[in-house]
Amino acid sequence: MHVILKQEILGIYYKDAVKPLVSGPIIVYTTNGTFHNPTELSTSKWVTEKTETNKIADRIESKEILYVFSVPRKTSFEVVNLGWILFKELASLLLSTLLILAAFIWLFYRTITNLRKQDKQIAVLHDVVDNISHELKTPVATLKIAAKTLRKSPDDNIITVIERQVSRLEQTLDPLSEHQSATSLSPITADELQAIFSDFQLCNPTVKLIVELGSNLQICLNPTDATTFFYNLMNNAVKYGATALGIRFEEQKNYLSIQFRDNGQGMDESELPYIFEKFYRIQKDNIHDTKGLGIGLFLVKNIIKKYGGEIKVISKLQQGTTFTVLLPR
């Protein structure tokens, strides 16, 4: 510890005189160093008195003669390295505080990371359950109609439809199986594509379906994705009042264009930016006009995104809707 100390006399006064006998300050003692922010340790005033005794003849006479002097003094000091001393004393406390703060930050980070991981897992589980519940509707409805038709008269084509829908049910439930089978990556064939349209027409006999397929058409979608893709767009058209649906395939330079045009009730232009959001459904006066979970177009959007394509929609109220899908060739 480096301490600077200074003692000084501020002046010497006789009695209560205003003018000092000796002007100050007079430094009595000081240590080496320069004061920057001195602290006043103490101040005092020293007072002296003197009495004289005179001897006259054979008697002693005392005569008091009073001399009064006041000497004000001041003592100042300063600890030069006070900051360093405080830092040394508080270093351990500061280090402990920083370590505790770092531990809290690490625990907070780990907690947030785990919560996000769990939230992501829950979201994936919800997506799987939502997708399965949505995808089960079409094969179940098709199987019901096929069963009714088969009851009336045996038909090999109806049996083929039932086999296809049972296979689709198995594929839909695969994600819930611990040992699920790998999804086929081979593109859908023309026969498999035609089967999708045939099954749809079986479930919707009153809908006029016109499909314009080109020769030697190549679609990059695998059978599972293609089934989900086409069924959701076709069922969405029927759900919103379409009685006629046209599907046109057109090969372009780098893309395959698939156009879905229906004569349904259409949508307001303000709704179009939101129709591909999960669980979004068009409402009127806070009442949903149609039943559904609101994930059909969400699944379509995800499939198109998976294959690097894009989808556009044009719609007007009471004039129908047109979806245009571009898939890389």
Side-chain angles (χ1 to χ4, degrees):
M1 181 183 295
H2 184 196
V3 180
I4 300 175
L5 181 66
K6 181 170 68 174
Q7 291 181 331
E8 53 188 338
I9 297 175
L10 303 179
I12 301 175
Y13 296 83
Y14 176 67
K15 291 188 177 181
D16 295 326
V18 176
K19 186 176 180 180
L21 295 176
V22 179
S23 298
I26 302 172
I27 297 175
V28 178
Y29 172 79
T30 183
T31 57
N32 294 328
T34 303
F35 281 96
H36 297 287
N37 297 299
T39 301
E40 190 173 290
L41 182 63
S42 65
T43 57
S44 62
K45 182 181 289 188
W46 176 49
V47 179
T48 64
E49 297 181 358
K50 182 179 180 182
T51 302
E52 291 185 354
T53 302
N54 294 330
K55 185 177 181 181
I56 302 176
D58 293 331
R59 70 176 187 276
I60 298 176
E61 292 184 358
S62 294
K63 183 179 180 181
E64 186 175 297
I65 302 175
L66 186 63
Y67 300 95
V68 179
F69 296 93
S70 65
V71 184
R73 299 175 298 176
K74 184 176 75 172
T75 302
S76 303
F77 83 101
E78 180 180 357
V79 181
V80 178
N81 58 342
L82 180 62
W84 173 246
I85 294 173
L86 292 176
F87 177 78
K88 286 174 60 179
E89 294 295 329
L90 297 176
S92 59
L93 178 61
L94 180 62
L95 181 61
S96 301
T97 303
L98 291 176
L99 291 175
I100 293 173
L101 180 60
F104 272 115
I105 293 175
W106 183 80
L107 289 175
F108 178 77
Y109 170 77
R110 291 293 300 171
T111 302
I112 294 297
T113 302
N114 290 334
L115 286 176
R116 287 180 176 176
K117 184 178 179 180
Q118 293 176 9
D119 185 63
K120 188 175 181 180
Q121 292 174 343
I122 293 173
V124 170
L125 178 60
H126 283 176
D127 285 343
V128 171
V129 174
D130 292 339
N131 294 352
I132 290 174
S133 62
H134 182 271
E135 291 302 303
L136 286 176
K137 292 181 178 181
T138 300
V140 169
T142 305
L143 287 172
K144 284 182 178 180
I145 295 174
K148 290 179 181 179
T149 305
L150 193 61
R151 185 181 295 273
K152 294 178 181 178
S153 61
D155 189 339
D156 290 341
N157 292 330
I158 298 300
I159 295 175
T160 303
V161 171
I162 293 175
E163 291 174 346
R164 274 200 303 265
Q165 297 306 317
V166 170
S167 177
R168 186 183 177 193
L169 283 174
E170 291 178 345
Q171 292 176 352
T172 302
L173 294 174
D174 274 347
L176 295 181
S177 175
E178 184 177 356
H179 304 289
Q180 54 181 299
S181 58
T183 302
S184 173
L185 299 179
S186 59
I188 189 171
T189 63
D191 292 339
E192 290 172 329
L193 186 61
Q194 190 61 51
I196 292 174
F197 299 136
S198 298
D199 291 352
F200 172 80
Q201 192 71 79
L202 177 66
C203 294
N204 302 275
T206 60
V207 177
K208 183 179 180 181
L209 178 63
I210 301 175
V211 180
E212 299 179 33
L213 280 170
S215 58
N216 299 322
L217 187 66
Q218 294 291 330
I219 302 178
C220 64
L221 303 177
N222 65 51
T224 301
D225 290 337
T227 302
T228 301
F229 171 73
F230 285 105
Y231 265 118
N232 278 295
L233 282 176
M234 291 188 295
N235 287 333
N236 189 73
V238 175
K239 186 187 300 182
Y240 287 96
T243 58
L245 175 61
I247 304 177
R248 182 182 180 185
F249 295 81
E250 182 180 351
E251 291 184 305
Q252 300 179 0
K253 184 177 180 180
N254 297 318
Y255 290 89
L256 170 65
S257 173
I258 308 175
Q259 187 180 82
F260 295 78
R261 184 189 297 273
D262 66 60
N263 64 344
Q265 66 187 42
M267 295 174 283
D268 190 270
E269 189 175 353
S270 60
E271 303 279 359
L272 300 183
Y274 311 103
I275 61 175
F276 295 106
E277 293 181 3
K278 190 176 183 181
F279 302 127
Y280 182 81
R281 295 174 58 209
I282 297 176
Q283 303 181 61
K284 185 177 181 181
D285 298 329
N286 292 325
I287 299 175
H288 291 291
D289 294 332
T290 56
K291 296 181 180 180
L293 296 174
I295 63 173
L297 293 180
F298 171 77
L299 296 178
V300 170
K301 180 74 173 180
N302 282 352
I303 290 174
I304 295 171
K305 184 178 179 181
K306 172 183 175 181
Y307 288 88
E310 59 178 311
I311 184 169
K312 302 175 183 178
V313 57
I314 299 175
S315 184
K316 291 184 179 180
L317 287 174
Q318 309 306 324
Q319 296 184 25
T321 303
T322 300
F323 288 92
T324 302
V325 179
L326 298 178
L327 292 174
R329 296 184 59 186

